[in-house]
Amino acid sequence: MTINIKNCKSALILLFFCTQVSSVYGQSSKEYSKEVQTRIKNVENNLSSWVQIENNPTKWTLEERMKFYHANGVSIAVIRNYKIEWAKGYGWADSLQQKPVTTNTLFQAGSNSKSINAIGILKLVQEGKLNLNADINDYLKRWKFPYDSLSKGKKISIANLLSHTGGITVHGFDGYEYGTKIPTLVQILNGQKPANSEAIGSMYEPSLKYEYSGGGTTISQLIIEDVTGKPYDEYMWNNVLKPMGMTHSSYTQPPISSNLNVLATGYYNDGKAVKGKYHIYPEQAAAGLWTNPTDLAKYVIETQLSLKGKSEKVLSKKMTELRLTPFIDKKSALGVFIIDKNGVKNFEHGGVDEGFVSQYIGTLEGGNGVVVMTNTYNTALFDEIIRSVAQEYSWNNAYTPEIKKEIYLKDTDLQTYLGRYGSGHYIWSIIKKDNGIYLSITDNEYWGTCMWKMHFTSDDNFFVTEKNNELSFIKDLSGKITALK
């Protein structure tokens, strides 16, 4: 990927995140044994990067990294041997109100909503009310998928919707400011105002390849409503959330009034709260779940136990095995991603809503896992937390950092890199400080300023410890820097 001067917004979102500062540290409503308390402290004190510099390994504390990233709030639940071993909140659920994050604080789950949605769909398959391989239009009543020449005469199945293999448009959704007019589900599918997303249709023929589509998941939401005759949030509560013990969670949008006092406020990178504190997501299946790490951990554990044939609170062992089987490629299963880390397979998903980011991981063997939820846009921080958990709990092959040799450039050599680049609302700069050279990225319209120390591996290549990418300078014929790749 090349970050050029004119078109950098998407690259900035993917590569770099910075958020608001947190001042309160560590809230738990439960007392743990000395052994567990030791494990908690070890996790808090051993965050690490995707890379380690040769002869100079680096570790951080969670408190240090929350300050470094200006992270507002974090909530963690750790799973060991098919049980929640501990859960703890850090920072502020709402900094203006000085409301700390606790284990009961609810966060927007973003695309983690899709994992639970898939269970709702597969329960209907298990009951014989849906056929995973049938044409989705066989079940849609209020709206029909607009097949055209791009689908090349092939029909989209429910399995395609859940595995992102339907060749369907609309990657994700922005949500709606609290208090604004909210579109109906059919208006969203048609791209009709007040919907703020385009109409959902074909990009290319189904079952060709994986292409992430929140639009496809939203179609599955309508299928649930049309087949059951019930509102989506009601069906999911009675048939999925409550049976799995996720009794603090809800797909209701806007959120129910009884939960308002435990909702986290979402924050942007400049430290400002999301207008209205959070966005409304009528695309409930794709992005509308409110939950906390403890409840998501219950879902992870139920999946693990069901896979072993030891629990059937919602799905049978056979159906869970199907849910965790990649549909076309080696990664995208039904509502989850199967990630092979050095021969050890996990099921996982991440999520981003306006002002919120989260991630869960569950091991297919051994009953281990972790859930991290934040009311910031900071993905790098939860990656570091997950690495610390994986090391403390000795997950097989989970953390194998890249080892890189850093070269040191003389001050005179560094002068050719220093300067301000970009234009308009997007600026990136290379700055010399007492302890090294830094990459500063500023987006005055959207994301504020982030700054990371640069570690050079050659004259034109460097990495930052905060995100798993090595970057290269692109220069013109005169040797002037014009872009980052």
Side-chain angles (χ1 to χ4, degrees), residues 174-195:
D174 294 331
Y176 298 83
E177 287 186 5
Y178 198 94
T180 60
K181 191 172 182 180
I182 306 300
T184 66
L185 197 51
V186 172
Q187 286 175 325
I188 293 168
L189 295 170
N190 286 328
Q192 296 173 338
K193 291 183 179 181

Side-chain angles (χ1 to χ4, degrees), residues 397-424:
N397 301 331
Y399 179 59
T400 53
E402 291 187 33
I403 307 298
K404 292 185 178 292
K405 185 175 182 179
E406 182 176 14
I407 67 168
Y408 294 90
L409 302 179
K410 298 178 181 178
D411 285 350
T412 52
D413 296 330
L414 290 174
Q415 295 301 316
T416 60
Y417 301 99
L418 305 182
R420 175 185 171 101
Y421 307 88
S423 61

Side-chain angles (χ1 to χ4, degrees), residues 93-154:
D94 188 296
S95 57
L96 183 63
Q97 297 178 357
Q98 297 287 280
K99 183 169 68 175
V101 174
T102 72
T103 55
N104 293 321
T105 300
L106 297 178
F107 297 80
Q108 287 191 325
S111 289
N112 287 313
S113 307
K114 295 177 174 68
S115 291
I116 315 300
N117 170 72
I119 294 178
I121 286 284
L122 290 174
K123 178 174 172 59
L124 293 174
V125 174
Q126 185 171 271
E127 294 171 347
K129 296 175 182 177
L130 292 176
N131 183 332
L132 264 183
N133 300 311
D135 180 1
I136 57 176
N137 277 347
D138 290 349
Y139 303 106
L140 292 165
K141 298 175 182 178
R142 288 175 286 163
W143 177 88
K144 297 291 185 180
F145 188 85
Y147 288 114
D148 56 23
S149 60
L150 293 174
S151 59
K152 295 186 178 180
K154 295 183 179 180

Side-chain angles (χ1 to χ4, degrees), residues 126 302-324:
Q126 185 171 271
E302 175 61 21
T303 298
Q304 293 169 326
L305 291 175
S306 180
L307 184 62
K308 291 177 67 68
K310 294 187 175 182
S311 183
E312 293 189 0
K313 291 179 179 177
V314 182
L315 298 182
S316 66
K317 180 178 188 294
K318 182 179 179 181
M319 195 60 67
T320 296
E321 288 174 345
L322 179 62
R323 188 171 77 89
L324 299 177

Side-chain angles (χ1 to χ4, degrees), residues 108 233 250-255 278-282 284 287-290:
Q108 287 191 325
D233 59 332
S250 174
Y251 275 100
T252 302
Q253 292 282 341
Y278 45 82
H279 276 189
I280 307 301
Y281 288 87
Q284 295 156 294
L289 179 65
W290 280 93

Side-chain angles (χ1 to χ4, degrees), residues 106 237 241-242 245-252 256 259 289-292 294-296:
L106 297 178
W237 169 254
L241 297 176
K242 187 166 64 172
M246 297 178 65
T247 53
H248 296 280
S249 305
S250 174
Y251 275 100
T252 302
I256 56 179
N259 278 342
L289 179 65
W290 280 93
T291 188
N292 58 41
T294 296
D295 268 18
L296 268 184

